[in-house]
Amino acid sequence: MSSTFLYGANVRANGIRQHYLRFGGKGRPLVLVPGITSPAVTWAFVAERLGRQFDTYVLDVRGRGLSETAPGMDYSLEACAADVGAFAQALGLADYFLVGHSMGARIGAIVAAHHAQGLARLVMVDPPVSGPGRRPYPARIDWYVDSIRLMREGADWEKLKPFSPTWTEAQLRLRAEWLHTCDEDAVVCAYHAFGTHDMHADLPAIAVPALLMVAGKGGVIEAADVDEIRSLMPGLEVRTVPTAGHMIPWDDEEGFFQGFGTFLGTPV
């Protein structure tokens, strides 16, 4: 099957240069927001498939990939959410779907609660449920910082094996190629925001239909967390990918796509 990739481009929105990759070009617009150390290109394999049915835009979150990075930049989750809202408006995306993974899911929840113009549906893929007074996010900050520093120094892809021992060589090579573009300050800020920003306070303000996708082996979201989130979002749909860890499409790509069901109007 031929590639659905169209092009990469930049747009100025919310006062910064935002870089994105576009796939498909037909159907409902879909904005894909990756996680804390995942530049847009590392989600291209997901966007390739989404691009078969949706006009898919994969965003480089500020401080990552080819989007703007600068000393002293505001890397808060709130700033990143404002970026996404402004990005959609700048490109004239109407009735768009937003799919966010991990940090991207946390950003997506803020978008849906506070920057929802044009947003039709939200998919939160295994968001960290940590926050004030809650158990911490299970991943350690040095896992991110140490791997970024290794790649910034030009280390070989094999140095990433201890960080992601189940990943294939191709997956590790791609991560090794792009990890150096993740600004350390941006990553540290986002990581700490997982514990200081109260996601649960945003959830009742989300009016669009929403889907929560849970990694069965991720250790990020537990059954009690699902119950609490459902109590705050009574119409929430929940699907679990039982065989996958937190990086769901890397662990079980087909299970990830099946996890959408028909929430986006058609199976993906």
Side-chain angles (χ1 to χ4, degrees):
M1 183 175 292
S2 61
S3 174
T4 64
F5 175 69
L6 296 177
Y7 55 79
N10 297 280
V11 63
R12 190 158 190 86
N14 198 33
I16 68 166
R17 176 182 49 76
Q18 299 189 46
H19 176 261
Y20 64 95
L21 303 176
R22 188 179 184 187
F23 294 76
K26 298 179 181 179
R28 290 280 287 274
L30 185 151
V31 177
L32 181 58
V33 185
I36 190 168
T37 54
S38 294
V41 68
T42 63
W43 277 75
F45 74 104
V46 172
E48 280 279 6
R49 180 152 166 179
L50 292 172
R52 298 177 193 172
Q53 295 160 293
F54 306 105
D55 186 11
T56 302
Y57 300 78
V58 193
L59 188 62
D60 269 329
V61 178
R62 61 168 62 194
R64 296 150 181 94
L66 301 181
S67 283
E68 189 164 338
T69 302
M73 178 177 275
D74 182 358
Y75 291 118
S76 66
L77 297 180
E78 292 88 344
C80 295
D83 288 346
V84 175
F87 174 84
Q89 295 305 304
L91 294 183
L93 305 183
D95 295 322
Y96 73 96
F97 300 142
L98 177 56
V99 178
H101 170 253
S102 191
M103 178 192 75
R106 291 284 294 256
I107 292 170
I110 301 172
V111 173
H114 302 290
H115 307 279
Q117 183 177 351
L119 180 63
R121 288 183 174 246
L122 171 68
V123 179
M124 299 180 290
V125 181
D126 219 45
V129 293
S130 49
R134 298 178 179 274
R135 72 178 188 279
Y137 182 53
R140 293 167 54 93
I141 185 59
D142 55 358
W143 188 93
Y144 299 105
V145 171
D146 291 350
S147 59
I148 290 171
R149 290 178 178 176
L150 281 170
M151 296 303 103
R152 195 169 61 220
E153 293 166 1
D156 186 79
W157 67 271
E158 292 184 331
K159 294 293 185 180
L160 290 182
K161 282 184 176 180
F163 297 90
S164 304
T166 65
W167 286 26
T168 67
E169 179 178 335
Q171 290 170 339
L172 290 171
R173 282 187 178 277
L174 183 61
R175 183 166 177 80
E177 180 185 1
W178 284 90
L179 191 57
H180 74 93
T181 70
C182 296
D183 182 87
E184 187 174 319
D185 289 342
V187 171
V188 170
C189 179
Y191 181 89
H192 288 308
F194 292 162
T196 58
H197 178 266
D198 188 358
M199 177 186 77
H200 295 76
D202 292 322
L203 299 182
I206 296 176
V208 299
L211 168 68
L212 175 67
M213 190 183 300
V214 179
K217 295 182 178 180
V220 174
I221 301 177
E222 299 178 355
D225 301 316
V226 174
D227 291 341
E228 181 180 9
I229 294 172
R230 272 183 161 147
S231 73
L232 297 170
M233 303 176 67
L236 180 73
E237 295 188 32
V238 179
R239 295 193 179 90
T240 298
V241 184
T243 58
H246 182 59
M247 302 297 285
I248 298 178
W250 279 258
D251 292 344
D252 185 353
E253 184 175 349
E254 193 58 36
F256 170 73
F257 289 116
Q258 289 177 359
F260 287 93
T262 59
F263 181 74
L264 300 181
T266 181
V268 296

